Amino acid sequence: MSRDEDLERRLARAMTGAAEKFPPHSADLVRRSIARGRRMRLVRASQVAAATAAFVVVAAGGALMGTDAFGGGRGTPERSTAGGPAHSTVRSPSRAPASISGEEMVRTLKSLLPPGGTVSAASGRGSEGDGPVVWPTATLTYSTAKGSSGIDISVARLDPGTPADQGGQGGCLPVEVRPYDKCATRKLPGGAVLTTTESFTYPSSDTGQKRWYVVLTTPGGAQLTVQEFGGGSEKGSADGSDPLLSIAQLTSIVRSPAWNKAIAALPAPQAAPATGASAAGQRVPGARMTRVLRSHLPRGGTTSDLNAGDDLVQLVYDDGRGKNMVQVDAQYGMTEFLARHMGCADVSGDCEATTLADGTKVKKVKGRSEKGGSASVWLVDTLRPDGRRVAVREVNSYAESTPVTRPRPALSMDELLTIALDKRFFTG
């Protein structure tokens, strides 16, 4: 055997072994970052987490998978699965007659900045070209005697039928996901929706570079997003200084009619794809999941910050001794995805794996947060013989990256197991 052939064989074995160790698809990843698709960056979006053990892989069937040691998804929010992308990526057969160049995008953004400052590192991208859609954008650094801000704007079109407050970067994400955001959404006269957010470049922390942004979604489905980074370009500063332009000034930029040409250059919207009954039948309704979960919460406590959608419900439960985030994922057809991941191999924390008399696999894990906080994360993950999966997860805080609000999670592991084994998630 030649040296090259030996190398090829050893490389193939190594790649196969590595692929088998990748974690399974996670509904948390799907719901937080794709299906809801909310406020995800249009160009280089990334939900930044402090985890060091996250794995992401595109499986042979095209599914994007990511998980942490506790079975909760983490990683990049740019994904493509149930629920569809936030923005169309295929150009309509009837292209818009107008077009706009990158230079025009930059000139327009410059013209809307406050006088007295200087502009550097400017670049833009136009709408010209055939094939996949390229959204017009402009990026620059704006400086005054008070400092610098990185500013960029993008113009895109949402998929038909996407709610204005749930597509692209529109709408406010729940506190469980973005605990430090100051976000507001309002409907403007004429039907447009405006979202304003004061956040951080690393949103799992309340320190470091500040990122402020404003999103305008028109009744016709166009979405304009202007964002600003304090101290310079994105990740170019960590001093925590306020961006130079206020939220009101960013709002004025994004609402300017000067962007009408860029909007006109977007391809015409296509008809929304029909949703088949069979596909809908494999989703677990969020309203049902909310009812079932609430029925298990101890009486006398309060719930807040509900975030519910198909296959996922999150809420904050407070029994009077501190806030506690509780999350339930419910999915069909997970046997293949979880085949090698219902045991305790390579799981950090206190793990126990068992199989019940009816063949249901159960994994219980107690560990620490891997998202930069000091919170405890308790998980009970169950997989029935027919592929139905319910995972119940709780954190002794209102979000995983925030300081703890109670000494330990509110619900015991036995209570989490009782919730996970409730058949009403699938039967109503």
Side-chain angles (χ1 to χ4, degrees):
M1 181 185 300
S2 70
R3 183 176 302 175
D4 288 344
E5 289 175 340
D6 180 59
L7 175 61
E8 289 176 1
R9 291 191 179 187
R10 286 190 288 111
L11 180 60
R13 286 197 299 268
M15 292 177 67
T16 300
E20 291 178 350
K21 293 181 180 179
F22 274 109
H25 168 88
S26 166
D28 180 45
L29 181 68
V30 171
R31 183 55 46 196
R32 287 186 184 181
S33 309
I34 303 178
R36 299 190 68 83
R38 300 165 81 178
R39 284 182 12 201
M40 300 311 168
R41 304 211 186 167
L42 303 178
V43 181
R44 55 191 181 279
S46 176
Q47 178 183 339
V48 181
T52 59
F55 297 99
V56 178
V57 64
V58 179
L64 182 64
M65 303 182 293
T67 185
D68 60 24
F70 306 115
R74 280 196 322 279
T76 59
E78 299 276 330
R79 300 165 300 175
S80 178
T81 136
H87 302 279
S88 301
T89 57
V90 178
R91 189 175 294 277
S92 169
S94 57
R95 286 185 58 191
S99 66
I100 190 169
S101 68
E103 291 78 10
E104 288 178 288
M105 289 291 295
V106 171
R107 284 199 301 271
T108 302
L109 179 56
K110 284 182 178 180
S111 71
L112 298 174
L113 296 174
T118 60
V119 171
S120 62
S123 64
R125 185 175 65 190
S127 61
E128 305 92 342
D130 296 319
V133 171
V134 177
W135 305 124
T137 65
T139 303
L140 52 80
T141 298
Y142 175 74
S143 303
T144 69
K146 296 181 179 179
S148 299
S149 281
I151 302 173
D152 64 65
I153 188 164
S154 59
V155 184
R157 186 180 297 284
L158 296 177
D159 277 339
T162 303
D165 63 345
Q166 294 185 15
Q169 300 196 77
C172 297
L173 281 174
V175 67
E176 296 94 337
V177 180
R178 301 291 286 269
Y180 300 113
D181 282 8
K182 295 179 181 178
C183 180
T185 295
R186 60 189 173 100
K187 193 168 186 178
L188 304 176
V193 174
L194 185 75
T195 300
T196 61
T197 306
E198 296 181 21
S199 185
F200 296 85
T201 299
Y202 297 95
S204 61
S205 171
D206 61 350
T207 60
Q209 186 182 39
K210 293 182 178 180
R211 174 194 176 220
W212 293 358
Y213 58 100
V214 178
V215 182
L216 178 71
T217 306
T218 72
Q223 189 170 85
L224 294 84
T225 304
V226 61
Q227 61 180 352
E228 181 182 17
F229 298 91
S233 61
E234 180 180 7
K235 301 180 183 177
S237 174
D239 62 6
S241 59
D242 285 348
L244 296 178
L245 274 62
S246 66
I247 288 292
Q249 288 173 306
L250 295 178
T251 299
S252 178
I253 290 174
V254 82
R255 294 188 65 182
S256 172
W259 300 113
N260 287 346
K261 183 176 181 180
I263 295 174
L266 298 176
Q270 298 178 344
T275 301
S278 60
Q282 292 301 305
R283 311 293 296 181
V284 185
R288 181 200 300 167
M289 294 184 65
T290 302
R291 289 195 302 270
V292 176
L293 173 58
R294 279 181 162 161
S295 72
H296 286 281
L297 297 177
R299 297 183 177 226
T302 60
T303 60
S304 62
D305 300 294
L306 175 66
N307 171 37
D310 288 351
D311 300 342
L312 170 82
V313 60
Q314 295 171 314
L315 55 79
V316 176
Y317 171 74
D318 191 341
D319 59 0
R321 293 185 287 273
K323 293 183 177 181
N324 190 89
M325 191 271 281
V326 184
Q327 171 183 310
V328 179
D329 300 312
Q331 301 161 288
Y332 291 91
M334 295 299 291
T335 300
E336 181 178 354
F337 284 117
L338 294 174
R340 296 183 179 91
H341 301 280
M342 290 305 293
C344 292
D346 300 323
V347 175
S348 61
D350 182 11
C351 179
E352 175 188 350
T354 58
T355 301
L356 304 182
D358 65 355
T360 298
K361 297 180 184 295
V362 176
K363 181 169 71 173
K364 301 178 181 179
V365 182
K366 288 183 179 181
R368 308 298 296 181
S369 170
E370 294 184 353
K371 294 190 176 181
S374 58
S376 296
V377 181
W378 290 6
L379 166 78
V380 172
D381 201 347
T382 61
L383 178 65
R384 292 173 169 83
D386 61 5
R388 290 178 296 169
R389 177 213 191 181
V390 177
V392 187
R393 192 165 172 263
E394 67 172 335
V395 182
N396 59 335
S397 184
Y398 58 91
E400 202 170 319
S401 60
T402 55
V404 299
T405 53
R406 52 185 302 125
R408 54 186 286 152
L411 307 178
S412 69
M413 295 296 280
D414 287 341
E415 288 174 306
L416 296 184
L417 179 60
T418 299
I419 296 172
L421 294 177
D422 194 325
K423 298 180 179 178
R424 293 179 296 164
F425 285 116
F426 299 99
T427 64

